[in-house]
Amino acid sequence: SSSSTPPSVKYPRPSWFKVWAHAARPHTLTASIAPVIVGHAITVSSLLLPTEHHTSFSTLHLPSITLAWAAFACLIQLGTNLHNDYADFVKGADDEHRVGQPRATQKGWLTPSQTAYASAFCVSLALAIGYPLCIVPSTTSTVSESK
């Protein structure tokens, strides 16, 4: 019967690149990029408006800041996808009756350790990129200084 067919027969092991692409699920990256694009558009439009409240923010840095946020968001998404692949396998949620795209760990294409380490790597790299984005140099005086 077809229910006794091993999952590997239905889904033969793809190439190394495709295995990682299955695990990372790059088709989900649009959910990460969309808010970055919206934030960039709002920033650009607010910088184009004439106002006295603009800080000394350099528009020359805007593309690199936007790219850094995009990299951060994508790495968080990839790390989350990889962790989901790992956790669903460990908890038993992904089994041979799973419907949908094959999951790399469940199919045996990656070990749980490989998937977990890849997830941790993505989140660590996101932290390395994102932390400097959160450090904003102060260009205004504080309330206590103005008294």
Side-chain angles (χ1 to χ4, degrees):
S1 81
S2 63
S3 63
S4 63
T5 304
S8 59
V9 172
K10 186 176 180 185
Y11 294 103
R13 183 173 176 36
S15 69
W16 179 87
F17 178 80
K18 286 185 180 182
V19 165
W20 283 104
H22 274 294
R25 293 181 261 163
H27 62 278
T28 64
L29 295 180
T30 53
S32 302
I33 295 292
V36 175
I37 293 171
V38 170
H40 179 80
I42 290 170
T43 302
V44 168
S45 66
S46 69
L47 289 172
L48 294 175
L49 295 174
T51 180
E52 297 173 10
H53 302 292
H54 285 301
T55 64
S56 61
F57 178 79
S58 171
T59 56
L60 294 174
H61 294 107
L62 187 57
S64 62
I65 291 171
T66 300
L67 288 174
W69 276 115
F72 170 82
C74 287
L75 285 164
I76 291 293
Q77 182 71 44
L78 292 172
T80 301
N81 291 346
L82 290 163
H83 181 267
N84 178 261
D85 192 295
Y86 163 79
D88 283 353
F89 175 77
V90 170
K91 290 189 302 185
D94 283 347
D95 59 15
E96 64 274 358
H97 303 295
R98 185 185 184 289
V99 177
Q101 284 189 331
R103 295 290 184 249
T105 310
Q106 185 266 326
K107 294 295 179 193
W109 300 337
L110 296 173
T111 66
S113 293
Q114 287 174 312
T115 312
Y117 284 130
S119 174
F121 176 77
C122 288
V123 173
S124 298
L125 192 55
L127 175 64
I129 292 170
Y131 181 74
L133 293 170
C134 296
I135 306 300
V136 180
S138 176
T139 57
T140 60
S141 62
T142 62
V143 175
S144 63
E145 290 175 358
S146 62
K147 289 185 178 183

